């Protein structure tokens, strides 16, 4: 090891690159409120190792004039491009246009359903401390939503949901005002709502825009 410690640089890049890739992938499945800080620390240390690697490879290349001197740098670049691609892939799944979405507010915890315009859905169950994400596909016919799973995290217990409009009363002084709200509810094979306490209040509805 006179010119360099090439193997050490490659090993360090593989360790930090793999750690970042794993953590980035994990945040799209289950996230925790400290995940951003953990990713930042891994990225910072990994970037320092990558800069050190570039400087060492450049020094070795000036002596040997061989392109193989940049092998550790190439390993680092592969991980950087991989993680950038993974980030954009996950972002496109979560932040693609919404057709209709709803939310169940359980106080500290909550459950959201987000049906995308491309036939995919993203569901999330958790709180401000973290949440778990669930992905799949669905079909929409009239007001009936059919998803590809019949059980999700002990919250979704059927593969059939329906969008319904219901009236409710708001007391104002001595009178009551009638309002309407859309809900996404779970139904069984007979069309009966499974759990009236666990329903999703519609917060985004772009069905009319999609049909134009």
């Amino acid at each position: 090891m006179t010119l360099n410690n090439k193997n050490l640089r490659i090993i360090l890049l593989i360790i930090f690159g793999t750690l970042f890739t794993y953590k980035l992938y994990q945040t799209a499945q289950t996230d925790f409120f400290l995940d951003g800080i953990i990713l930042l620390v891994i990225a910072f240390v990994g970037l320092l190792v990558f800069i050190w690697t570039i400087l060492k490879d450049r020094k070795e290349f000036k002596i040997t004039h061989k392109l193989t001197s940049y092998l550790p740098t190439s390993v680092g670049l592969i991980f950087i491009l991989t993680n950038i691609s993974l980030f954009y892939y996950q972002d496109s799944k979560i932040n693609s246009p919404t057709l209709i979405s709803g939310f169940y507010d359980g106080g500290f915890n909550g459950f959201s359903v987000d049906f995308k315009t491309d036939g995919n859905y993203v569901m999330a169950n958790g709180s401000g401390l973290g949440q778990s994400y669930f992905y799949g596909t669905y079909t929409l016919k009239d007001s009936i939503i059919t998803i590809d799973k019949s059980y999700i995290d002990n919250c979704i217990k059927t593969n059939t949901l329906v969008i319904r409009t219901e009236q409710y009363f708001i007391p104002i002084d001595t009178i009551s005002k009638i309002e309407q709200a859309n809900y996404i509810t779970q139904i069984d094979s007979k069309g009966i709502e499974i759990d009236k306490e666990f329903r999703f209040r519609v917060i985004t509805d772009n069905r009319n825009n999609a049909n134009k």
Side-chain angles (χ1 to χ4, degrees), residues 188-201:
D188 59 20
S189 58
K190 297 179 180 179
I192 300 173
E193 187 172 356
I194 292 177
D195 187 351
K196 291 185 178 181
E197 298 299 321
F198 192 84
R199 45 169 52 178
F200 308 99
R201 175 94 179 246

Side-chain angles (χ1 to χ4, degrees), residues 31-101:
D31 67 12
F32 184 59
F33 75 102
L34 292 177
D35 281 343
I37 297 175
I38 296 173
L39 279 170
L40 186 61
V41 170
I42 296 173
F44 179 74
V45 177
L47 183 60
L48 291 180
V49 173
F50 184 61
I51 293 173
W52 172 64
T53 297
I54 293 175
L55 296 176
K56 297 290 287 186
D57 288 355
R58 188 177 178 186
K59 182 178 180 181
E60 180 179 333
F61 179 75
K62 288 181 178 179
I63 297 173
T64 64
H65 299 288
K66 294 181 179 179
L67 290 176
T68 53
S69 301
Y70 285 105
L71 177 60
T73 297
S74 300
V75 172
L77 283 173
I78 289 172
F79 274 107
I80 289 174
L81 294 175
T82 298
N83 282 303
I84 290 175
S85 300
L86 179 60
F87 171 80
Y88 279 106
Y89 171 72
Q90 293 182 164
D91 183 71
S92 66
K93 288 175 64 177
I94 294 176
N95 295 315
S96 60
T98 295
L99 180 66
I100 185 169
S101 66

